[in-house]
């Protein structure tokens, strides 16, 4: 065809174009420069430079930046050069799912703020050896402590898993299945499954302090936690690996308790009256809501009723709406008083 070629188009009919004409158009476009390209590019570079500076100013300041693959281990090497043996689900994830091999760099965390970087030294059929390439770091707990009490025992179709997963990702300190008149039980098999959901979500969102999944609690057991004043407290908790032990937590030190109630004062208005508290209890009822008697009991014990808008929300939706609002509120309060001690 000489200096011409066929170019197919959407209409399936060939279009005849001159090769020299196409080259001329490309050269013309290459010489064009957007009027505001220079200022925009400089502004963009300035923004990127600021982000890079702020990211490197403090190690692990943001747990959502990503980086090396991170895996859970109850035991961390005590120092650089230390070795721990990884087995079970984490070994399977590292070797079979991600297909990591010898000398690949990874990180281990213990769910209590401990973090250490290293590499895989040896792999066999039953596990692998991790060798630390640095000393372990201990990252302090965040300043916001919100404990979720939600009646999700009757939820079906993976909705309870979703609720627990998102509570973990949003930064809740703990989740407790709440037993009420309209949601009176939760199976032990489901609790075991939820423990695995918590661990997977913890790794996904890069948080270093694992969210605690408490045993189911009746409202009668919750009421003493709402009383004022309350000093200290120890609660028995179920933690990963199905071990029951007693650990101190901040639930009993909470000064604020919000319970989702239809047509109550909007949560934002209630927050403006609560001062700068960055910790407390979040209570969400079951499908069908709390009974009138249950609501009266919680309000008399010191809880504050808050509304989440004019629409009827599912248990998991209401929990996410309230937790998200409180976490963002806490973050804004801590930012505004960054020179003061963190909230407790």
């Amino acid at each position: 065809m000489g200096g011409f070629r066929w170019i197919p188009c959407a209409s399936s009919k060939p279009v005849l174009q001159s090769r020299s004409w196409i080259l001329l158009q490309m050269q013309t476009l290459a010489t064009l420069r957007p009027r505001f390209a220079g200022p925009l590019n400089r502004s963009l570079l300035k923004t990127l430079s600021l982000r890079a500076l702020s990211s490197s100013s403090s190690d692990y300041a943001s747990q959502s930046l990503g980086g090396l693959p991170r895996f859970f281990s109850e035991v961390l090497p005590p120092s650089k050069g230390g070795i721990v043996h990884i087995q079970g689900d984490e070994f399977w994830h590292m070797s079979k799912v991600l297909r990591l091999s010898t000398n690949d760099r990874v990180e281990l965390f213990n769910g209590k703020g401990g973090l250490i970087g290293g590499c895989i030294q040896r792999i066999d059929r039953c596990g692998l050896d991790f060798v630390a390439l640095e000393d372990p770091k201990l990252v302090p707990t965040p300043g916001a402590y919100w404990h979720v009490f939600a009646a999700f025992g009757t939820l079906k179709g993976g909705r309870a898993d979703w609720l627990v997963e998102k509570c973990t990702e949003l930064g809740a300190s703990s989740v407790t299945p709440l037993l009420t008149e309209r949601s009176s039980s939760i199976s032990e098999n489901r609790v075991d499954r939820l423990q695995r959901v918590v661990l997977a979500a913890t790794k996904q969102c890069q948080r270093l302090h694992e969210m605690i999944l408490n045993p189911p609690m009746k409202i009668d057991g919750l009421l003493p936690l709402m009383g004022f004043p309350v000093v200290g407290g120890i609660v028995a908790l179920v933690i990963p690996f199905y071990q029951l032990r007693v650990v101190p937590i901040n639930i009993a030190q909470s000064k604020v308790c919000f319970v989702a109630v239809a047509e109550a004062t909007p949560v934002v208005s209630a927050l403006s009256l609560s001062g700068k508290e960055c910790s407390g209890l979040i209570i969400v009822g079951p499908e069908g809501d709390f009974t009138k008697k249950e609501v009266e009991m919680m309000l008399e014990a010191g809880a504050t009723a808050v509304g989440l808008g004019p629409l009827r929300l599912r248990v998991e939706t209401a929990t996410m709406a309230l937790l998200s609002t409180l976490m963002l509120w806490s973050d804004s309060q801590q930012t505004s008083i960054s020179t003061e001690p963190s909230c407790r």
Side-chain angles (χ1 to χ4, degrees):
M1 295 294 294
F4 299 91
R5 62 174 177 170
W6 293 101
I7 299 178
C9 65
S11 62
S12 74
K13 295 180 180 180
V15 178
L16 193 63
Q17 295 278 4
S18 168
R19 182 174 299 173
S20 59
W21 181 86
I22 294 175
L23 293 174
L24 178 61
Q25 295 299 316
M26 292 176 65
Q27 293 173 357
T28 303
L29 290 174
T31 59
L32 294 177
R33 181 178 179 181
R35 184 174 181 180
F36 300 103
L40 285 176
N41 288 338
R42 285 194 294 270
S43 175
L44 178 60
L45 289 174
K46 183 178 180 181
T47 302
L48 292 176
S49 299
L50 289 174
R51 288 180 180 175
L53 179 62
S54 62
S55 297
S56 60
S57 60
S58 59
D59 293 337
Y60 308 105
S62 175
Q63 299 175 17
S64 62
L65 295 178
L68 296 174
R70 187 177 293 175
F71 303 93
F72 178 80
S73 174
E74 269 198 332
V75 179
L76 299 181
S79 60
K80 181 178 179 180
I83 298 174
V84 295
H85 193 62
I86 306 298
Q87 295 178 300
D89 292 341
E90 294 299 84
F91 164 64
W92 178 267
H93 189 195
M94 297 168 77
S95 62
K96 303 301 182 182
V97 178
L98 298 182
R99 298 186 180 276
L100 298 177
S101 57
T102 305
N103 296 325
D104 282 344
R105 294 286 303 275
V106 296
E107 290 179 336
L108 295 184
F109 77 104
N110 60 5
K112 302 174 182 64
L115 178 68
I116 190 167
C119 68
I120 299 173
Q121 185 182 63
R122 184 181 64 88
I123 302 177
D124 56 32
R125 296 180 59 184
C126 301
L128 59 84
D129 289 335
F130 168 92
V131 58
L133 299 180
E134 60 184 19
D135 291 330
K137 298 177 176 66
L138 183 62
V139 180
T141 56
Y145 300 92
W146 292 104
H147 304 275
V148 177
F149 295 79
F152 56 84
T154 59
L155 300 188
K156 295 179 174 57
R159 290 164 57 193
D161 292 7
W162 188 88
L163 183 150
V164 171
E165 178 186 77
K166 300 312 170 188
C167 283
T168 305
E169 293 177 3
L170 286 172
S173 293
S174 69
V175 169
T176 304
L178 188 60
L179 304 181
T180 69
E181 186 174 326
R182 293 169 179 162
S183 179
S184 57
S185 64
I186 182 172
S187 67
E188 293 184 4
N189 292 336
R190 171 171 284 192
V191 173
D192 291 343
R193 173 181 172 80
L194 292 178
Q195 294 283 9
R196 295 190 291 271
V197 171
V198 170
L199 179 56
T202 300
K203 294 163 58 179
Q204 171 66 31
C205 69
Q206 297 277 292
R207 65 183 286 176
L208 296 178
H209 297 83
E210 189 174 12
M211 187 189 75
I212 298 171
L213 182 63
N214 295 331
M217 178 183 292
K218 295 182 179 180
I219 287 187
D220 292 344
L222 174 61
L223 294 178
L225 301 179
M226 304 180 196
F228 303 105
V230 180
V231 180
I234 293 181
V235 181
L237 304 174
V238 175
I239 63 172
F241 302 102
Y242 318 110
Q243 299 173 348
L244 182 63
R245 65 186 183 187
V246 176
V247 296
I249 57 175
N250 295 325
I251 290 181
Q253 299 174 1
S254 302
K255 298 180 181 179
V256 178
C257 177
F258 294 116
V259 54
V261 177
E263 300 181 357
T265 303
V267 61
V268 175
S269 300
L271 283 172
S272 63
L273 301 175
S274 65
K276 295 184 178 181
E277 291 298 330
C278 299
S279 63
L281 313 184
I282 299 172
I283 305 173
V284 179
E287 293 181 321
D289 212 342
F290 292 114
T291 64
K292 183 178 179 180
K293 179 182 178 181
E294 289 171 336
V295 173
E296 291 176 350
M297 289 170 58
M298 288 185 287
L299 296 182
E300 290 176 359
T304 300
V306 294
L308 301 175
L311 303 179
R312 179 184 298 175
L313 304 180
R314 288 185 169 185
V315 178
E316 64 272 29
T317 309
T319 304
M320 293 307 101
L322 187 51
L323 177 59
S324 299
T325 302
L326 294 176
M327 291 302 296
L328 291 173
W329 166 267
S330 300
D331 183 64
S332 66
Q333 295 303 305
Q334 292 180 68
T335 301
S336 64
I337 57 173
S338 58
T339 58
E340 301 178 11
S342 60
C343 301
R344 287 292 182 266

